Amino acid sequence: MKFEGTKDYVATADLTMAVNASVTLERPLLVKGEPGTGKTELAKQVAASLGLKMIEWNVKSTTKAQQGLYEYDAVSRLRDSQLGDERVHDVANYIRKGKLWEAFEAGEKVVLLIDEIDKADIEFPNDLLQELDKMEFHVYETGETVRAKQRPIIIITSNNEKELPDAFLRRCFFHYINFPDGETMKAIVKVHHPGIKDQLLTEALTQFYEIRETRGLKKKPSTSEVIDWLKLLLAEDLSPEDLKRDGANALPKLHGALLKNEQDVHLFERLAFMARSER
């Protein structure tokens, strides 16, 4: 069972190696990188490439680790007891299975995505240590132990918003997705826009990387944003000449796809003003 990328996802050699190392070691793959570099999409493509079902657990700031195992709905049970419902005699009727339970009880190997783990409380990763290590957990209300029938391929993503605990990191295989270089980016774009002309692509990516390297930029545009930008350029049927900027107009065409806050827009407006003043 080896991941080699798919026609819809450009995976670099070090990324495919990381996925396969994680599968071989039977350890979770922790993937970090800038937002928009394809971390979440990686899990979907691994599942598609290996012909496996994917289970997705989207972590939020309010998410607790226990929710990934199960939740006991005591309120519903109390209400049913007051109404004389027969279901109340079996506590299992009030156990809601979480995403880990779903992955553990699957009859076949699955890909489990724990997406954006750094959004949750700092204790969230530590609260999952034993379950991810032993591939089992205990349900106190029913007295049963849930064990993984097939060890899932676990992919965990992080946008690096907060540090993860060392004890958690020790149990993972780590990979950082570097921002794509020019040639890799061209390959990525051609997956999404296969008919794009080379001259337009070259000019657009030249501007894109110039924007990313502009000093003082608060938020650098990401891979997903350049793909959206190119979609707009193609829809407007713009030529490479239409994209060319001069000092008087430092903002790129359709810049709203690339610049996502007013500080960065003002930065390019100031650069244009300074260029005009120097004439």
Side-chain angles (χ1 to χ4, degrees):
M1 184 174 285
K2 284 217 166 190
F3 174 66
E4 296 176 347
T6 70
K7 63 181 180 61
D8 298 321
Y9 188 87
V10 177
T12 57
D14 57 340
L15 179 55
T16 56
M17 182 209 70
V19 172
N20 291 321
S22 167
V23 173
T24 300
L25 293 172
E26 295 188 325
R27 288 189 177 275
L29 173 63
L30 174 61
V31 184
K32 289 187 179 183
E34 288 183 33
T37 49
K39 300 184 296 296
T40 301
E41 186 63 24
L42 171 65
K44 297 176 182 177
Q45 296 301 325
V46 169
S49 171
L50 302 179
L52 304 177
K53 174 186 174 183
M54 191 184 89
I55 296 172
E56 188 170 355
W57 184 12
N58 295 301
V59 177
K60 301 177 182 178
S61 59
T62 55
T63 303
K64 302 298 180 185
Q66 181 64 33
Q67 293 171 305
L69 308 180
Y70 69 93
E71 291 182 276
Y72 170 51
D73 190 354
V75 174
S76 292
R77 194 180 188 198
L78 175 61
R79 183 196 62 220
D80 288 350
S81 69
Q82 293 170 338
L83 296 173
D85 194 318
E86 287 299 315
R87 296 173 71 251
V88 77
H89 299 298
D90 186 357
V91 69
N93 291 323
Y94 303 93
I95 300 292
R96 297 177 185 169
K97 297 178 181 179
K99 297 297 183 179
L100 260 72
W101 191 329
E102 188 180 337
F104 284 6
E105 73 173 2
E108 57 188 10
K109 186 177 283 290
V110 299
V111 174
L112 172 63
L113 169 64
I114 304 177
D115 202 23
E116 298 190 332
I117 195 171
D118 53 327
K119 278 187 177 179
D121 183 85
I122 190 63
E123 291 304 317
F124 179 91
N126 279 337
D127 291 343
L128 289 176
L129 288 180
Q130 182 171 324
E131 289 76 14
L132 294 181
D133 237 5
K134 296 185 176 180
M135 286 286 134
E136 66 178 41
F137 61 89
H138 188 69
V139 183
Y140 295 99
E141 289 77 5
T142 63
E144 66 181 305
T145 297
V146 178
R147 294 185 178 87
K149 296 178 181 177
Q150 291 271 355
R151 180 178 284 266
I153 296 172
I154 300 174
I155 297 178
I156 303 170
T157 72
S158 168
N159 287 328
N160 229 5
E161 291 181 4
K162 62 168 70 90
E163 289 296 320
L164 298 174
D166 287 346
F168 178 79
L169 294 175
R170 281 198 301 272
R171 289 164 168 81
C172 298
F173 189 92
F174 172 76
H175 182 75
Y176 186 88
I177 297 182
N178 290 308
F179 197 82
D181 59 24
E183 288 306 309
T184 304
M185 185 64 82
K186 281 185 178 181
I188 292 171
V189 168
K190 287 185 176 180
V191 167
H192 296 271
H193 305 299
I196 193 168
K197 293 180 180 177
D198 286 339
Q199 282 184 309
L200 177 63
L201 179 56
T202 299
E203 178 63 32
L205 289 185
T206 298
Q207 281 197 32
F208 172 71
Y209 281 102
E210 286 175 356
I211 292 167
R212 275 186 59 87
E213 292 165 9
T214 301
R215 291 182 63 184
L217 200 66
K218 184 177 180 181
K219 182 195 176 301
K220 294 182 178 182
S222 68
T223 307
S224 60
E225 287 159 343
V226 74
I227 289 169
D228 287 346
W229 185 49
L230 284 163
K231 183 177 181 179
L232 291 174
L233 299 182
L234 291 169
E236 294 292 326
D237 198 23
L238 298 181
S239 68
E241 290 70 29
D242 294 329
L243 296 187
K244 291 188 183 299
R245 296 179 295 164
D246 54 31
N249 185 18
L251 279 168
K253 290 283 193 300
L254 300 164
H255 63 268
L258 298 175
L259 305 176
K260 296 303 177 73
N261 58 67
E262 63 276 16
Q263 294 98 317
D264 290 343
V265 173
H266 292 333
L267 171 63
F268 280 90
E269 288 174 342
R270 286 197 301 273
L271 292 174
F273 176 77
M274 291 168 61
R276 288 195 298 270
S277 302
E278 290 172 0
R279 289 181 174 180

